[in-house]
């Protein structure tokens, strides 16, 4: 599903503070794998995830998703790939705080190109909320929720378009141990349903729950 070949990412290219954050990163991920990306702070994990999520570009190499080369694409095309194929979960949840749970989950459906009836969108959003145990709170504003509940809503939003790839950046980083375990259960459920899951974490306990661990150090793959 994913193929990275010699990916190089340079921040501030051409300026005095030019910095090579990723140095010839190559690996591939099969459909349905659950992978952890680990490494110290500053190793390049988030940079890599942003490239995988098609929200950041890279200077050299090739990134293919389902065979499609993600390079020099228009913003419209990138948005289309993100919308169809990728669900993104962030450490800080990235919800619209004064929206309700269902309004947050409806957002990706409103961005989608296809014209779907609003009753169908609402059903999809409620189904996504139900799959993370949050359907009974659909009308509640997300700024009234606990961290764990917010992350459940963020996961519902990530899966509402039925993407095949779920990318998560430190999804349990802001949560206590018990809540982290509950959120990891949701990722395991998605994996069991056949989704490809890639989790960036510095928590070895979480990494060990994945099929494979990719360790990054100073922008390079240390071990795979
Ligand atoms: P990690 O997620 O492993 O903590 P990051 O991918 O966030 O690491 O960052 C990798 C390196 O790239 C760090 O040295 C960081 O300072 C640098 N970096 C990240 N984003 C930028 C940016 N927008 N401009 C310049 N340097 C950046």
């Amino acid at each position: 599903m994913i193929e990275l070949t010699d990916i190089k990412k340079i921040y501030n290219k051409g300026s005095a503070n030019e910095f090579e954050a990723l140095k010839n990163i190559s690996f591939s991920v099969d459909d349905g794998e659950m992978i952890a990306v680990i490494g110290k702070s500053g190793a390049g994990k988030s940079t890599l995830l942003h490239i995988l999520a098609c929200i950041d570009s890279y200077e050299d190499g090739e990134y293919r998703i389902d065979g499609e080369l993600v390079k020099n694409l228009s913003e419209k095309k990138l948005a289309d790939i993100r919308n169809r194929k990728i669900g993104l979960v962030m450490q800080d949840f990235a919800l619209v705080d004064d929206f309700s749970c269902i309004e947050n989950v409806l957002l990706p459906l409103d961005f989608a190109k296809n014209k779907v009836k609003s009753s169908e969108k609402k059903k999809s959003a409620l189904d996504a909320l139900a799959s993370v145990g949050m359907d009974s709170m659909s009308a509640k504003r997300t700024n009234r929720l606990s961290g764990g509940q917010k992350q459940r809503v963020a996961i519902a939003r990530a899966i509402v378009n039925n993407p095949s790839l779920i990318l998560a950046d430190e999804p349990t980083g802001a949560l206590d141990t018990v809540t982290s375990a509950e959120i990891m259960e949701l990722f395991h459920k998605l994996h069991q349903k056949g989704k490809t899951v890639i989790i960036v974490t510095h928590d070895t306990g979480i990494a060990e729950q994945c099929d494979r661990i990719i360790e990054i150090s100073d922008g390079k793959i240390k071990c795979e």
Side-chain angles (χ1 to χ4, degrees), residues 52-82:
L52 291 173
C54 303
I55 54 180
D56 205 354
S57 58
Y58 50 93
E59 274 55 50
D60 221 342
E62 285 189 349
Y63 167 32
R64 286 175 195 275
I65 180 164
D66 291 329
E68 184 172 4
L69 180 61
V70 183
K71 196 171 191 174
N72 304 326
L73 298 179
S74 66
E75 191 41 54
K76 193 161 168 272
K77 183 77 191 141
L78 290 169
D80 177 56
I81 294 176
R82 285 195 297 265

Side-chain angles (χ1 to χ4, degrees), residues 46 89-94 147 151 168-175 200 202:
S46 297
V89 179
M90 310 297 279
Q91 175 172 355
D92 65 0
F93 325 120
Q151 199 58 300
D169 196 354
E170 300 278 7
T172 61
L175 306 175
V200 163
H202 61 258

